[in-house]
């Protein structure tokens, strides 16, 4: 069949030219407004019917994206987007994502993508080494921290089941009350029970509390999760205290470092992650603080064989792939077909080198400390807690929820910044999540001045 959707005609060239031209402009622009969401009705009105029997053509479809759809998306890499966990892909990583798409790589197996798997694995090996894991550690890039956590915990349960085949009760996973919602979600999906242990006064999971829970729940515990940088406050659990319990109890230690584990790459915060080297698995999201485009989570197992045992899919049509000794990324998580989503991170690390990463991550940590000092100086503001990594949480004295909401809406409406209220102990607070190296102290002053 001849199809103009698949040929190399002038029409195809025209499409590729327009799309790459737009991509180049977007990648190199540094004045993109912060933008904001729209309503379904407004988008209907502005975009109209875009999917038709004959197609609306390249210029119109791309124009609609550029002028209607894209402006209805918040610019996550804007230097004054400090909400949730924003993004800050390097130019190399973002640009290389285009190459990943251009190359139609099936990233699931060695047989089909050895070159790419090699590069992804070098990236994972570098991270594993930084985290103090043995040289035999390995894993895979998955979609995000949620899938990474779930995949690691399924491997943990698999191992517990193998060691204790007669156990018929419900498996339990111990984590801090402050643990990310994805851990509770993983328990739900697995039919396991989340045992939520209170943290200390700073919300940090401590060894004593975990010991108590391990003693109480005994052989039903298949894993303990320590958080390496909780999303709300950036608190790092006492990983070393939890790891020490491994000599008394038999459990799988998983470290959820989706946001914070990047800080373990820096000289100024590495010590907070002591004990990480004893973990059985860990995750970190390159799309958060490792400057990669959405979406990517690095999942690393101390012993990758545990991941393979839990996750290899068996099917006759796949035997040629799975019945080999080669390294197939699909075997290590809940997935089969996979985009080579670790490649943008690999390319960027290869281009700039690891020192540039350490420096860029350190920038946000130092900025958080500076922001905290500034907040303490301002009488109308109250710092809720000293930042541990790069999240700063504070209050505006005398304000209620509706004051915060209005202020936040106006900040975005005026296209100054994106900062959303959060809550702590039932009280509204404001939160800066600093991961963008382009965010300056002056950017923060601009926002803080609007709280006077
Ligand atoms: C963001 C985050 C997750 C979830 O990661 P996604 O990539 O959004 O799925 C899990 N744990 C922590 C600590 C996080 O910060």
């Amino acid at each position: 069949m001849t199809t103009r959707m698949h040929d190399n005609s002038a029409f195809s060239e025209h499409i590729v030219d327009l799309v790459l031209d737009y991509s180049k402009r977007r990648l190199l622009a540094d004045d993109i407004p912060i933008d904001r969401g729209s309503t379904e009705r407004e988008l209907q009105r502005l975009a109209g019917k875009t999917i038709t029997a004959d197609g609306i053509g390249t210029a119109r479809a791309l124009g609609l994206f550029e002028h209607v759809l894209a402006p209805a998306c918040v610019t996550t890499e804007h230097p004054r987007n400090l909400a949730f966990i924003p993004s800050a892909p390097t130019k190399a990583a973002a640009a290389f994502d285009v190459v990943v798409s251009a190359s139609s790589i099936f990233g699931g197996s060695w047989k089909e993508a050895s070159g790419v798997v090699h590069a992804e694995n070098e990236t994972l090996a570098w991270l594993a080494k930084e985290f103090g894991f043995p040289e035999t550690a390995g894993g895979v890039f998955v979609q995000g921290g949620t899938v990474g956590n779930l995949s690691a915990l399924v491997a943990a349960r698999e191992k517990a089941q193998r060691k204790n085949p007669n156990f018929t009760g419900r498996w339990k996973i111990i984590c801090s009350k402050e643990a990310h919602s994805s851990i509770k979600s993983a328990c739900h999906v697995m039919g396991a029970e989340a045992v939520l242990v209170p943290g200390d006064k700073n919300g940090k999971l401590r060894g004593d509390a975990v010991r108590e829970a391990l003693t109480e729940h005994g052989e039903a515990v298949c894993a303990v999760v320590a958080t390496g940088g909780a999303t709300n406050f950036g608190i790092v659990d006492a990983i070393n205290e939890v790891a020490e319990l491994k000599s008394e109890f038999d459990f799988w230690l998983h470290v959820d470092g989706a946001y914070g584990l990047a800080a373990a790459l820096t000289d100024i915060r590495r010590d907070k992650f002591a004990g990480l080297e004893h973990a059985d698995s860990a995750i970190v999201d390159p799309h958060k603080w490792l400057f990669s485009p959405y979406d990517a989570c690095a999942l690393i197992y101390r012993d990758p064989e545990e991941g393979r045992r839990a996750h290899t899919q068996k099917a006759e049509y796949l035997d040629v792939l799975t019945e080999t000794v080669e390294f197939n990324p699909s075997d290590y998580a809940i997935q089969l077909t996979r985009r080579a989503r670790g490649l943008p991170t690999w390319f960027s690390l290869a281009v700039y080198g690891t020192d540039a990463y350490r420096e860029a991550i350190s920038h946000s940590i130092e900025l958080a400390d500076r922001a905290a000092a500034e907040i303490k100086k301002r009488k109308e503001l109250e710092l809720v807690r000293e930042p541990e990594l790069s999240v700063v949480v504070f209050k505006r004295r005398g304000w209620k929820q509706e004051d915060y909401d209005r202020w936040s809406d106006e900040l975005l409406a005026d296209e100054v910044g994106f900062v959303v209220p959060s809550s702590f102990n039932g009280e509204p607070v404001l939160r800066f999540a600093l991961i963008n190296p382009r965010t300056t102290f002056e950017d923060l002053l601009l926002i803080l001045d609007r709280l006077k």
Side-chain angles (χ1 to χ4, degrees):
M1 179 188 173
T2 55
T3 156
R4 61 183 198 139
M5 294 196 295
H6 291 93
D7 67 15
N8 284 337
S9 64
F11 182 57
S12 293
E13 197 176 324
H14 170 69
I15 298 171
V16 172
D17 276 348
L18 287 189
V19 170
L20 290 185
D21 180 58
Y22 171 80
S23 302
K24 182 173 176 184
R25 277 188 288 124
R26 176 63 181 82
L27 282 164
L28 293 176
D30 57 7
D31 56 350
I32 312 231
I34 197 155
D35 289 326
R36 56 194 312 205
S38 186
T39 63
E40 184 55 44
R41 214 164 132 216
E42 184 67 359
L43 288 168
Q44 280 281 4
R45 189 178 72 76
L46 292 174
K49 188 167 151 67
T50 60
I51 299 180
T52 64
D54 297 328
I56 59 171
T58 322
R60 242 190 99 197
L62 192 60
L64 270 172
F65 177 76
E66 179 169 359
H67 302 295
V68 176
L69 307 179
C73 301
V74 168
T75 305
T76 59
E77 85 270 33
H78 190 285
R80 284 189 303 277
N81 183 341
L82 313 177
F84 313 112
I85 302 282
S87 84
T90 64
K91 296 299 181 200
F96 207 72
D97 210 39
V98 179
V99 176
V100 175
S101 288
S103 310
S104 296
I105 296 153
F106 176 87
S109 73
W110 184 268
K111 199 178 196 66
E112 289 189 75
S114 52
V116 156
V117 177
H118 168 80
E120 284 192 325
N121 283 354
E122 186 183 348
T123 311
L124 292 165
W126 175 69
L127 287 171
K129 184 158 189 241
E130 289 286 325
F131 300 159
F133 281 17
E135 228 169 82
T136 46
V140 59
F141 286 95
V142 296
Q143 173 262 328
T146 301
V147 173
N149 283 332
L150 176 61
S151 299
L153 292 172
V154 166
R157 180 183 60 187
E158 192 80 6
K159 185 174 181 188
Q161 245 158 6
R162 209 172 54 247
K163 285 194 301 194
N164 197 353
N166 298 323
F167 179 76
T168 54
R170 197 164 172 216
W171 291 105
K172 296 183 180 184
I173 291 166
I174 296 174
C175 63
S176 150
K177 279 195 168 137
E178 313 274 326
H180 189 264
S181 50
S182 59
I183 302 296
K184 293 146 213 173
S185 160
C187 291
H188 181 70
V189 172
M190 292 165 67
E193 182 186 332
V195 177
L196 303 183
V197 171
D200 66 9
K201 67 177 193 320
N202 287 318
K204 207 183 269 286
L205 185 69
R206 305 302 297 250
D208 287 349
V210 175
R211 175 184 282 112
E212 229 171 84
L214 282 165
T215 309
E216 183 183 340
H217 298 284
E219 60 167 8
V221 177
C222 63
V224 177
V225 178
T227 306
T231 326
N232 255 345
F233 274 98
I235 298 295
V236 182
D237 287 342
I239 302 171
N240 54 345
E241 293 179 11
V242 180
E244 273 169 25
L245 297 170
K246 280 175 144 252
S247 59
E248 283 172 63
F249 303 88
D250 193 14
F251 63 89
W252 177 295
L253 172 58
H254 174 65
V255 175
D256 174 8
Y259 145 67
L261 205 46
L265 303 172
T266 69
D267 290 338
I268 50 178
R269 287 295 181 276
R270 184 174 287 117
D271 59 336
K272 298 248 178 231
F273 297 86
L276 172 63
E277 65 278 13
H278 302 298
D280 295 282
S281 55
I283 64 152
V284 60
D285 278 356
H287 65 220
K288 285 180 173 169
W289 208 1
L290 287 174
F291 318 123
S292 297
Y294 300 117
D295 43 25
C297 163
L299 161 62
I300 300 172
Y301 298 98
R302 164 177 225 84
D303 176 5
E305 192 52 25
E306 297 292 351
R308 203 184 63 77
R309 279 202 186 105
H311 294 298
T312 303
Q313 294 188 23
K314 297 277 180 198
E316 279 158 6
Y317 89 102
L318 296 173
D319 281 353
V320 62
L321 298 181
T322 53
E323 299 297 309
T324 67
V325 293
E326 287 157 351
F327 186 95
N328 298 315
S330 287
D331 292 347
Y332 297 85
I334 299 155
Q335 58 183 0
L336 182 58
T337 298
R338 66 178 290 277
R339 176 180 177 79
R341 50 168 48 84
L343 267 198
T345 311
W346 162 76
F347 184 70
S348 184
L349 276 165
V351 168
Y352 304 117
T354 54
D355 284 353
Y357 274 70
R358 297 186 213 283
E359 225 174 276
I361 299 162
S362 300
H363 166 83
S364 296
I365 296 170
E366 284 156 3
L367 187 62
D369 286 344
R370 232 180 129 188
E374 177 66 25
I375 287 164
K376 284 196 280 192
K377 266 197 245 160
R378 297 187 174 214
K379 60 183 185 322
E380 72 280 9
L381 302 180
E382 179 191 343
L383 185 70
V384 172
R385 202 182 266 172
E386 287 296 331
E388 192 153 321
L389 299 179
S390 69
V391 178
V392 187
V393 181
F394 59 101
K395 286 186 199 170
R396 167 66 168 79
R397 292 185 205 276
W399 273 18
K400 299 197 187 58
Q401 185 71 47
E402 60 261 32
D403 301 313
Y404 285 104
D405 290 341
R406 191 175 351 100
W407 176 86
S408 171
D409 289 346
E410 283 172 12
L411 192 73
L412 186 60
D414 295 348
E415 306 230 317
V416 174
F418 191 33
V419 176
V420 292
S422 174
S423 70
F424 173 61
N425 283 346
E427 284 197 34
V429 294
L430 288 174
R431 178 176 166 278
F432 288 168
L434 305 172
I435 55 108
N436 191 335
R438 287 174 57 225
T439 307
T440 62
F441 187 58
E442 287 64 40
D443 284 321
L444 303 186
L445 293 181
L446 203 64
I447 294 171
L448 292 176
D449 283 348
R450 289 177 60 117
L451 285 161
K452 277 185 178 160

